[in-house]
């Protein structure tokens, strides 16, 4: 079945350093969504990418969708302690019947 | 506040027992999704309902069942519970029928502990 792999599983950075998490699918995706889950919280939607090669920015966050629509990345510039949490990518299958989540990347930031 | 309400927030029960988790979606949302989150498996999709009908099934065990009622709230029934069923169960809702369109709004989850 469709699988979405996400790396790294954990990442620790010093405040001010950059951070990137990568998402890879075994099949071509219709879209990719990114969610953030703060410790003890629930996943919160960040963004959706639909087009091949799409790049979107939200302040210090940059999201990319690969040309083949099989991979995606989230890059955070100059991390802050408020960026702490687990970032999940979620890929939609072509049939629209499932949104498959990766296992997430847990980011910790020390000041 | 996402607008999705889940009850109970915490539940402790014994192996072999049966529990029911409840979810009220955001006002106007017709789709309800159930996800299981455990430490080693991330967010596992269980099942989706749209306007009362089962729309998609993921890795849902036969011991688990769900339904969506006419008022659009949903219940997830877990029976013959095993230790490995201990997890955080999230409900999410969306306005769309297709899982690959629009964002999901997650509730705060129901933490199930099976002893």
């Amino acid at each position: 079945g469709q699988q979405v792999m996400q790396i790294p599983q954990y990442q620790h950075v010093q405040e001010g350093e950059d951070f990137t998490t990568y998402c890879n699918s075994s099949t071509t995706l219709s879209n990719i969504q990114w969610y953030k889950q703060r410790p003890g919280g629930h996943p919160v939607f960040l963004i959706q990418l639909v087009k091949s090669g799409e790049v979107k920015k939200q302040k210090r966050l940059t999201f990319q969708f690969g040309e083949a629509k099989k991979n995606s990345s989230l890059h955070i510039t100059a991390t802050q302690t408020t960026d702490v949490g687990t970032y999940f990518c979620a890929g939609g299958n072509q049939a629209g019947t499932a949104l498959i989540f990766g296992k997430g990347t847990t980011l910790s930031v020390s000041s | 506040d996402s607008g999705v309400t889940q009850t109970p927030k915490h539940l402790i029960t014994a192996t072999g027992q049966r529990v029911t988790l409840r979810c009220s979606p955001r006002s106007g949302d017709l789709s309800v999704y159930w996800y299981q989150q455990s430490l080693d498996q991330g967010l596992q999709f269980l099942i989706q309902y749209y306007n009362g009908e089962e729309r998609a099934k993921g890795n849902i065990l036969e011991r688990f069942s769900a339904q969506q009622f006419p008022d659009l709230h949903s219940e997830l029934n877990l029976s013959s519970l095993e230790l490995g069923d201990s997890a955080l169960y999230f409900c999410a809702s969306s306005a769309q029928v297709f899982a690959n369109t629009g964002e999901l709004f997650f509730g705060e989850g129901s933490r199930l502990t099976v002893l």
Side-chain angles (χ1 to χ4, degrees):
Chain A
Q2 179 185 354
Q3 287 189 322
V4 174
M5 309 299 292
Q6 202 172 342
I7 57 169
Q9 188 175 358
Y10 301 98
Q11 181 80 59
H12 176 79
V13 298
Q14 294 288 322
E15 190 172 23
E17 293 182 336
D18 292 356
F19 159 76
T20 304
T21 172
Y22 300 90
C23 186
N24 289 287
S25 169
S26 55
T27 58
T28 302
L29 301 169
S30 62
N31 68 315
I32 194 104
Q33 296 182 359
W34 286 90
Y35 291 78
K36 177 182 178 182
Q37 183 176 18
R38 293 182 188 276
H42 58 276
V44 175
F45 176 82
L46 293 176
I47 208 160
Q48 174 169 275
L49 304 171
V50 178
K51 299 176 184 176
S52 167
E54 190 169 12
V55 178
K56 286 189 176 181
K57 292 189 177 184
Q58 287 180 350
K59 298 182 180 177
R60 296 177 294 103
L61 277 61
T62 301
F63 304 84
Q64 292 188 315
F65 200 11
E67 294 289 340
K69 300 183 76 172
K70 284 185 156 184
N71 61 286
S72 181
S73 65
L74 158 59
H75 179 81
I76 302 179
T77 304
T79 54
Q80 300 175 357
T81 54
T82 53
D83 295 325
V84 163
T86 300
Y87 293 84
F88 292 97
C89 62
N93 65 358
Q94 297 285 338
T97 54
L99 192 65
I100 305 300
F101 280 75
K103 291 191 178 183
T105 296
T106 298
L107 172 66
S108 58
V109 180
S110 53
S111 56
Chain B
D1 181 13
S2 66
V4 178
T5 304
Q6 286 188 250
T7 57
K9 285 187 168 34
H10 300 276
L11 192 55
I12 301 174
T13 189
T15 54
Q17 294 298 304
R18 172 190 170 94
V19 299
T20 297
L21 309 181
R22 182 188 169 102
C23 169
S24 294
R26 281 192 330 155
S27 177
D29 283 356
L30 299 179
S31 272
V32 169
Y33 301 78
W34 286 97
Y35 283 87
Q36 179 192 57
Q37 185 174 42
S38 52
L39 283 175
D40 57 344
Q41 292 297 322
L43 278 164
Q44 294 282 312
F45 168 63
L46 297 178
I47 198 164
Q48 177 204 358
Y49 279 83
Y50 178 80
N51 202 21
E53 300 289 326
E54 183 184 302
R55 167 86 179 114
K57 241 179 182 177
N59 300 321
I60 188 166
L61 299 172
E62 285 192 11
R63 300 183 286 108
F64 297 0
S65 65
Q67 59 184 129
Q68 186 179 28
F69 295 87
D71 67 352
L72 301 178
H73 90 271
S74 178
E75 292 181 356
L76 179 66
N77 300 296
L78 315 175
S79 62
S80 302
L81 286 167
E82 301 174 359
L83 295 178
D85 297 328
S86 295
L88 191 51
Y89 290 84
F90 282 109
C91 167
S93 75
S94 80
Q96 282 77 30
V97 60
F98 292 106
N100 61 351
T101 57
E103 66 181 279
L104 299 186
F105 295 87
F106 282 81
E108 295 189 358
S110 292
R111 182 169 294 284
L112 172 66
T113 302
V114 182
L115 301 176

